[in-house]
Amino acid sequence: MSAKDKLPGMIDPGDAARASSAREAWRIFGIMAEFVEATERLQAIRPAVSIFGSARTPREHPYYDLTERIARQLSDAGFSVISGGGPGIMEAANKGAFDGKSPSVGLNIQLPMEQSANVYQDISHSFEHFFARKYMFVRFAAAYVVMPGGFGTLDELMEALTLIQTRKSRSIPIILVHTPFWQGLIDWFRSTLVAEGMISASDIDLVQLIDDPAEVVEAIFRHYENRSFLPLPEEHEAMLNL
């Protein structure tokens, strides 16, 4: 059977469907504007570190305090701190940076359940589209610090690992904080993904397990000891094609 025989005949979509398609096409311009506006607004925040973690972490939780201390030390060391701008770990990250010497940046998005912007943001920018927001996390980060979190946190982590593994993004430190939370995932990477040939053994080296705030900062500086925090020209060119 040929492809022509498999494809259904063309059906007139009708006026309503054509109008919907036109609206969808016009939304492309809104998406373009979202990228342009965010890129222009965030140009001056480098060097920056993106911190991820659960929106559901209460303020009295040890993870909150640990995140706040890491963000404060990063801020005092000269890094802008970028978070998702919401509650929980995101708030802790912004709060630590807000009290420090460098800008606290929130890349906010409105969600039905969890997301409301926290008050600890020197620069607050809102997005309608997840993919535009995720691009900005990668675009401006010299490092990722990943605290305990759920699906959203894992999504950001896997996005970063994929981009670096495939060399669509420059290599940056990806630091997982709180070893008891993350060790099982790393063990599974080794016992299943590496063992079955889904990833290379060297891919495990893309992540570091670090629990001490000062050591987090030190690991980032160590990575950039012999190079600039800013992307090299060839890295910048590659990131334009993310």
Side-chain angles (χ1 to χ4, degrees):
M1 183 181 294
S2 68
K4 182 178 179 181
D5 294 326
K6 294 180 181 180
L7 294 173
M10 293 297 293
I11 301 173
D12 185 346
D15 292 340
R18 278 192 290 269
S20 176
S21 179
R23 285 197 303 272
E24 203 169 299
W26 276 105
R27 283 188 66 83
I28 298 298
F29 291 100
I31 294 168
M32 292 169 58
E34 191 165 54
F35 274 96
V36 171
E37 182 183 358
T39 299
E40 290 183 348
R41 191 169 187 206
L42 298 176
Q43 284 290 356
I45 68 169
R46 286 172 164 161
V49 174
S50 292
I51 297 182
F52 303 98
S54 175
R56 305 184 186 192
T57 302
R59 291 171 181 163
E60 62 274 12
H61 197 286
Y63 295 161
Y64 187 103
D65 176 69
L66 180 58
T67 305
E68 186 178 346
R69 288 190 288 123
I70 291 171
R72 176 62 185 268
Q73 292 197 29
L74 286 168
S75 181
D76 286 342
F79 295 100
S80 298
V81 173
I82 307 173
S83 92
I89 294 296
M90 294 178 283
E91 179 184 282
N94 284 136
K95 186 174 186 294
F98 191 79
D99 293 335
K101 297 178 180 179
S102 304
S104 171
V105 183
L107 304 185
N108 303 275
I109 194 164
Q110 295 302 314
L111 299 175
M113 294 186 303
E114 296 170 344
Q115 183 82 349
S116 58
N118 67 68
V119 298
Y120 303 106
Q121 300 177 42
D122 298 303
I123 299 172
S124 180
H125 193 83
S126 294
F127 291 83
E128 291 186 31
H129 303 92
F130 261 117
F131 59 86
R133 179 175 178 248
K134 287 173 68 176
Y135 173 83
M136 297 304 160
F137 281 127
V138 176
R139 176 78 170 75
F140 292 99
Y144 269 26
V145 174
V146 189
M147 306 299 296
F151 288 155
T153 302
L154 291 172
D155 178 45
E156 297 291 352
L157 171 60
M158 296 306 166
E159 174 92 0
L161 288 173
T162 301
L163 290 172
I164 294 172
Q165 182 204 46
T166 58
R167 300 184 182 179
K168 294 294 286 184
S169 175
R170 63 176 175 153
S171 178
I172 64 173
I174 300 178
I175 299 170
L176 308 183
V177 178
H178 192 58
T179 299
F181 185 89
W182 294 110
Q183 188 64 64
L185 179 64
I186 301 302
D187 291 344
W188 181 75
F189 283 176
R190 288 195 179 95
S191 65
T192 302
L193 299 187
V194 173
E196 297 198 17
M198 305 300 178
I199 64 173
S200 300
S202 60
D203 290 333
I204 302 293
D205 297 333
L206 295 177
V207 297
Q208 304 175 62
L209 288 169
I210 302 176
D211 296 340
D212 181 73
E215 291 180 11
V216 170
V217 179
E218 181 183 344
I220 296 170
F221 275 113
R222 187 166 55 247
H223 181 87
Y224 290 98
E225 192 170 22
N226 297 313
R227 57 155 297 164
S228 168
F229 287 111
L230 297 178
L232 300 173
E234 59 271 23
E235 293 172 337
H236 177 76
E237 189 66 26
M239 291 176 71
L240 292 176
N241 298 313
L242 282 178

